[in-house]
Amino acid sequence: MITRVVSPAAPLIRKLQTESLHTFGLLGLLLLLGVLITEQLVRLFENEIQKLLTPLLAEPRAESSGESSMLMPTLAKTTISEFATMINLINMRIRRINQLTIELARSRDQMAELSMTDALTGCRNRRDFHLRLAEEVARAKRNQHTLMGILLDIDHFKDVNDSYGHPFGDKALQSVAHAISTGIRAADYCFRYGGEEFVTLLIDCPQDRALLIAESLRIKVQGLRISSGDVSISVSVSLGLASLHLEDDDADTFLARMDKALYLAKRRGRNSVVMAPHPEDEH
């Protein structure tokens, strides 16, 4: 088991993400304003030119056909045709800019999501965990609501890799990740913390319910059968559960208390749930 606290780089990561979003937003706003101004200019020119062209393009009367032909020489007809073509091209460019704006926003959202997702398990990754943890701790303190955290570790996972190979170990990680992510509430979060460790944040969740969730996760993982070819095994997890103490905890100490509870679960024989004591009881 690896014990780590929140990375000191997390505030810098948050700042860079915020500045990137602001930059994307400013570029998008400028692009939108440019499109709107261009559209208005096109409409203005189109309307004014149409007013000038309407008398010239009207069907000439038989008795004045010669005079009409003199009013509209070949050069004028060519100029009008070219201007109409230019208007059509501008409209096509505007539609393309609108399309590119939508695609840019979609790509930005996809890149942001990928940067926060663990490629193997599909869970949120460690980077997103540290950012989300700081946000949820601040929100819990601000709104005075409960926040529970569970740090989970697959028992004897090194033996699984050594005995059956890393591809089988990856399959075990994916199975456990799916069991955890589908075993929590929709409002909660599941992260791959690193290696064979996962962490969940249970938002505004009472302690007694969090204990039930943790125990149900332990049972759910224990009931898995991970199979590949002739190999079929089961695994277990140890879980360290902690409740955010609004007066004494920050993100670092909250995570450290989860980790300490996980360590105690390992010491007590694994495949168990241990609740971290109140901070005051630890002294």
Side-chain angles (χ1 to χ4, degrees), residues 115-182:
S115 70
M116 296 298 184
T117 302
D118 176 62
L120 178 64
T121 64
C123 295
R124 294 171 179 268
N125 62 19
R126 186 189 185 109
R127 175 188 179 191
D128 189 37
F129 167 68
H130 287 305
L131 296 174
R132 189 72 59 178
L133 176 65
E135 290 176 359
E136 293 302 334
V137 166
R139 183 178 292 111
K141 289 176 176 287
R142 184 170 61 251
N143 298 332
Q144 294 293 296
H145 68 59
T146 57
L147 177 64
M148 306 295 298
I150 308 174
L151 191 58
L152 309 90
D153 185 88
I154 303 177
D155 299 325
H156 303 296
F157 186 70
K158 184 178 183 300
D159 294 342
V160 174
N161 277 333
D162 292 345
S163 299
Y164 308 108
H166 288 277
F168 187 88
D170 289 346
K171 187 171 185 178
L173 285 170
Q174 291 170 339
S175 298
V176 172
H178 183 263
I180 296 171
S181 60
T182 57

Side-chain angles (χ1 to χ4, degrees), residues 17 32 65 120 138 151 194 204 211 217:
Q17 285 184 319
L32 178 60
S65 57
L120 178 64
L151 191 58
D204 198 11
L211 282 166
L217 292 177

Side-chain angles (χ1 to χ4, degrees), residues 25 47 50 112 185 190 214 220 238 264:
N47 290 336
Q50 190 64 35
R185 306 169 306 170
C190 174
K220 189 173 183 180
S238 299
L264 292 175

Side-chain angles (χ1 to χ4, degrees), residues 129 149-152 180 189-193 197-201 255 258:
F129 167 68
I150 308 174
L151 191 58
L152 309 90
I180 296 171
Y189 298 96
C190 174
F191 308 85
R192 186 183 179 192
Y193 188 61
E197 286 186 315
F198 296 86
V199 61
T200 68
L201 293 177
L255 177 58
M258 282 186 255

Side-chain angles (χ1 to χ4, degrees), residues 35-69:
V35 169
L36 292 176
I37 292 172
T38 304
E39 287 182 336
Q40 292 301 320
L41 289 174
V42 168
R43 291 194 184 98
L44 177 63
F45 280 121
E46 197 171 20
N47 290 336
E48 293 300 320
I49 293 298
Q50 190 64 35
K51 292 177 183 178
L52 295 173
L53 296 183
T54 298
L56 297 176
L57 296 176
E59 187 68 26
R61 291 173 298 183
E63 63 273 12
S64 59
S65 57
E67 183 180 353
S68 297
S69 298

Side-chain angles (χ1 to χ4, degrees), residues 217-247:
L217 292 177
R218 185 191 69 79
I219 295 172
K220 189 173 183 180
V221 171
Q222 188 179 26
L224 293 174
R225 293 302 299 178
I226 303 165
S227 303
S228 179
D230 297 333
V231 178
S232 181
I233 67 168
S234 60
V235 296
S236 64
V237 288
S238 299
L239 305 93
L241 178 65
S243 174
L244 176 71
H245 193 264
L246 299 178
E247 287 74 27

